[in-house]
């Protein structure tokens, strides 16, 4: 991985350019959109890896994904070093932290499943909406239904979407919701602690840009929420989210599901 | 493990340079903090190979957390040094690598139907919104803000 100098040099150049541009905020009237270095480098990287340009080969892209996983560990260590001195503050918000995890788990199902059925998805809906479908969730669904089942395809579809635009979308959403002034920055930070590395980084980054005075607290509570999701995530998925989604599907599908000859891909 | 250590050090250097450009912290000032962060990560990874039941990220968080709590010797120095690294600067390289890996999923993405794209947006919105909402409700009930 160290030998992939091309990748590392591109990343270094992009990081320097991105940090030099810095934060830009655009007012949309109702709220603001925050643009910041993480998003610039993500987009620049996406352009370079565009298959038609043939600047990077498949192997290099896979390596980049591997290094992404390792680089996230440093981010985790940094966030951990912010947690230590703030433990009293975190315990103080303990109830909220516990309850927000319920929100993370239920949030995908409550609005995801009915909408999936209304637009005509069949059993794919179970895989697509039982979680945010990152790697651990994919493993759970393929173990239960098989990777090639409708449920497995639904989960994989959301996984692919997440890789392609999850981080950008969550950053936009977090920044926008933050700028509306409905929610407190700390509540939003917990929302940003979703169980995916780049999504959490981008969403908490957008919040830190929107609320510069609360940047430290935002990182802190996003990290705490993410840690809870990581620890409990697998268990919640196996014993709660997946069975509940499957049950709800059986109950809701005859009521609001649309009849189609061919199930949605 | 050695390979991983080298990669971690390299990303650390990239982040230090980004931290310099974006947050005006000189690399010399940032270096001790970054060495500590890399060290926490390596110790966490080591513990993960010994006791793999717990995910690496949990081990790493735990190590970094313990080293910065008031009970740990020298915690003040550790907090001060790691504080020189802005968390945003450390996240920028992650997203750059994420960008560079994007192309590999583009072909499969093109084959997806519109429904799954819509639902993935709904799913991400749902998880973010509900977690935020639930946290906010609890804070409001407790009279925090």
């Amino acid at each position: 991985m160290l030998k992939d100098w091309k990748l590392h040099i591109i990343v270094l150049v992009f990081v320097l350019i991105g940090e030099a541009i810095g934060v830009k905020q655009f007012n949309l009237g109702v709220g603001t959109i925050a643009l910041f270095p993480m998003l610039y480098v993500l987009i620049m990287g996406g352009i370079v890896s565009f298959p038609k340009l043939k600047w990077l080969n498949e192997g290099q892209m896979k390596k980049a994904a591997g290094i992404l996983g390792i680089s996230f560990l440093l981010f985790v260590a940094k966030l951990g070093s912010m947690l230590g001195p703030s433990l009293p503050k975190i315990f103080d918000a303990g109830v909220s932290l516990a309850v927000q995890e319920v929100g993370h788990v239920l949030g995908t199902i409550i609005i995801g499943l009915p909408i999936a059925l209304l637009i005509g998805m069949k059993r794919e809906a179970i895989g697509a909406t039982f979680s945010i479908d990152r790697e651990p969730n994919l493993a759970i669904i393929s173990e239960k239904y098989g990777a090639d089942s409708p449920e497995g395809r639904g989960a994989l579809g959301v996984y692919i979407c997440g890789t392609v635009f999850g981080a950008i979308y969550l950053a936009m959403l977090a920044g926008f919701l933050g700028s509306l002034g409905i929610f407190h920055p700390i509540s939003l930070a917990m929302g940003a602690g979703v169980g995916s590395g780049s999504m959490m980084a981008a969403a908490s980054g957008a919040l830190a840009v929107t609320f510069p005075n609360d940047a430290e607290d935002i990182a802190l509570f996003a990290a705490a929420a993410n840690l809870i999701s990581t620890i409990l995530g697998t268990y919640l998925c196996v014993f709660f989210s997946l069975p509940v989604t499957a049950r709800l599907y059986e109950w809701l599908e005859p009521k609001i599901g649309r009849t189609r000859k061919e199930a949605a891909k | 493990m050695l390979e991983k250590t080298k990669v971690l050090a390299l990303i650390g250097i990239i982040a230090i340079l980004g931290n310099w450009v974006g947050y005006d912290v000189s690399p010399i000032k940032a270096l001790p903090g970054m060495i500590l962060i890399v060290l926490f990560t390596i110790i966490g990874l080591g513990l993960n190979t010994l006791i793999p039941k717990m995910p690496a990220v949990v081990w790493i968080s735990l190590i970094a957390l313990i080293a910065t709590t008031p009970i740990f010797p020298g915690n003040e120095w550790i907090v001060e040094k790691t504080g020189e690294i802005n968390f945003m600067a450390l996240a920028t390289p992650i997203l750059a690598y994420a960008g560079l890996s994007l192309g590999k999923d583009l072909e499969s993405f093109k084959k997806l139907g519109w429904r799954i794209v819509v639902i993935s947006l709904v799913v991400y919105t749902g998880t973010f919104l509900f977690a935020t909402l639930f946290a906010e409700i609890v804070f409001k009930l407790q009279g925090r803000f």
Side-chain angles (χ1 to χ4, degrees), chain A residues 14-32:
Chain A
F14 283 0
V15 165
L16 295 181
I17 295 172
E19 295 290 358
I21 301 172
V23 173
K24 304 267 179 239
Q25 273 175 302
F26 292 95
N27 201 328
L28 297 180
V30 272
T32 57

Side-chain angles (χ1 to χ4, degrees), chain B residues 19-142:
Chain B
N19 200 40
W20 189 21
V21 175
Y23 302 90
D24 284 329
V25 183
S26 83
I28 298 162
K29 226 176 148 191
L31 189 65
M34 188 55 84
I35 292 173
L36 286 166
I37 289 171
V38 172
L39 205 63
F40 298 152
T41 312
I42 293 167
I43 297 171
L45 281 172
L47 284 168
N48 177 244
T49 47
L50 287 176
I51 310 164
K53 276 246 160 186
M54 214 154 87
V57 286
V58 178
W59 276 120
I60 294 165
S61 304
L62 200 64
I63 297 298
L65 190 154
I66 292 169
T68 49
T69 42
I71 52 153
F72 195 82
N75 69 83
E76 277 173 8
W77 183 81
I78 297 173
V79 171
E80 190 200 315
K81 292 300 164 194
T82 52
E84 298 286 1
I85 315 287
N86 188 292
F87 82 97
M88 299 271 274
L90 201 43
T92 309
I94 305 176
L95 274 294
Y97 286 108
L100 291 178
S101 72
L102 229 150
K104 74 178 169 57
D105 290 311
L106 225 51
E107 279 307 310
S108 358
F109 178 67
K110 278 192 210 151
K111 288 182 196 136
L112 295 174
W114 65 271
R115 288 185 180 85
I116 199 83
V117 177
V118 171
I119 286 307
S120 58
L121 289 175
V122 172
V123 161
Y124 299 136
T125 312
T127 192
F128 183 87
L129 199 62
F130 273 73
T132 304
L133 189 69
F134 281 27
E136 183 88 10
I137 290 171
V138 172
F139 279 132
K140 283 261 157 68
L141 288 176
Q142 292 176 325

Side-chain angles (χ1 to χ4, degrees), chain A residues 234-257:
Chain A
T234 315
Y235 302 101
L236 283 173
C237 255
V238 174
F239 298 110
F240 180 79
S241 324
L242 191 51
V244 165
T245 314
R247 274 280 186 83
L248 272 176
Y249 175 86
E250 302 298 346
W251 178 67
L252 268 180
E253 205 278 328
K255 292 188 171 66
I256 58 169

Side-chain angles (χ1 to χ4, degrees), chain A:
Chain A
M1 270 185 264
L2 195 67
K3 289 188 196 104
D4 299 287
W5 283 109
K6 192 173 169 185
L7 290 176
H8 301 307
I9 288 168
I10 295 172
V11 167
L12 174 63
V13 172
F14 283 0
V15 165
L16 295 181
I17 295 172
E19 295 290 358
I21 301 172
V23 173
K24 304 267 179 239
Q25 273 175 302
F26 292 95
N27 201 328
L28 297 180
V30 272
T32 57
I33 290 288
L35 300 181
F36 49 104
M38 278 185 239
L39 297 186
Y40 312 143
V41 299
L42 177 63
I43 292 166
M44 288 190 277
I47 293 168
V48 168
S49 83
F50 204 75
K52 281 237 170 68
L53 294 173
K54 295 205 165 103
W55 286 342
L56 294 180
N57 59 41
E58 185 91 14
Q60 286 168 321
M61 293 176 196
K62 284 205 173 117
K63 287 226 174 86
I67 304 167
L68 155 72
I70 299 176
S71 65
F72 180 63
L73 300 178
L74 285 181
F75 186 60
V76 167
K78 163 66 193 170
L79 293 176
S81 75
M82 296 168 82
L83 289 172
S86 318
L87 282 182
K89 217 182 203 170
I90 289 160
F91 285 127
D92 208 38
V95 185
S96 275
L97 270 170
V99 175
Q100 65 78 31
E101 181 60 23
V102 182
H104 268 312
V105 172
L106 287 180
T108 65
I109 310 167
I110 291 178
I111 53 172
L113 188 63
I115 294 179
L117 292 173
L118 284 172
I119 62 173
M121 282 175 87
K122 294 292 157 195
R123 297 199 68 88
E124 289 85 354
I126 296 175
T129 65
F130 87 107
S131 74
I132 59 157
D133 290 313
R134 298 323 294 164
E135 286 88 346
N137 315 111
L138 283 186
I140 292 166
I141 202 115
S142 51
E143 200 172 300
K144 175 119 192 234
Y145 296 99
D148 216 23
S149 61
E151 292 85 351
R153 282 200 305 273
L156 188 66
V158 174
Y159 171 81
I160 293 167
C161 291
T163 318
V164 174
F165 57 72
I168 289 202
Y169 177 70
L170 273 168
M172 296 291 153
L173 180 72
F176 184 74
L177 270 180
S179 69
L180 293 180
I182 306 168
F183 297 111
H184 192 276
I186 302 303
S187 310
L188 288 159
M190 291 184 190
V194 282
S196 148
S198 45
M199 289 184 205
M200 171 184 72
S204 50
L207 290 172
V209 169
T210 314
F211 304 101
N213 297 331
D214 295 307
E216 291 272 309
D217 278 353
I218 287 165
L220 206 61
F221 284 100
N226 185 267
L227 199 55
I228 294 174
S229 292
T230 309
I231 296 170
L232 299 180
T234 315
Y235 302 101
L236 283 173
C237 255
V238 174
F239 298 110
F240 180 79
S241 324
L242 191 51
V244 165
T245 314
R247 274 280 186 83
L248 272 176
Y249 175 86
E250 302 298 346
W251 178 67
L252 268 180
E253 205 278 328
K255 292 188 171 66
I256 58 169
R258 302 221 329 247
T259 15
R260 284 186 308 114
K261 276 189 179 158
E262 196 196 15
K265 263 195 176 174

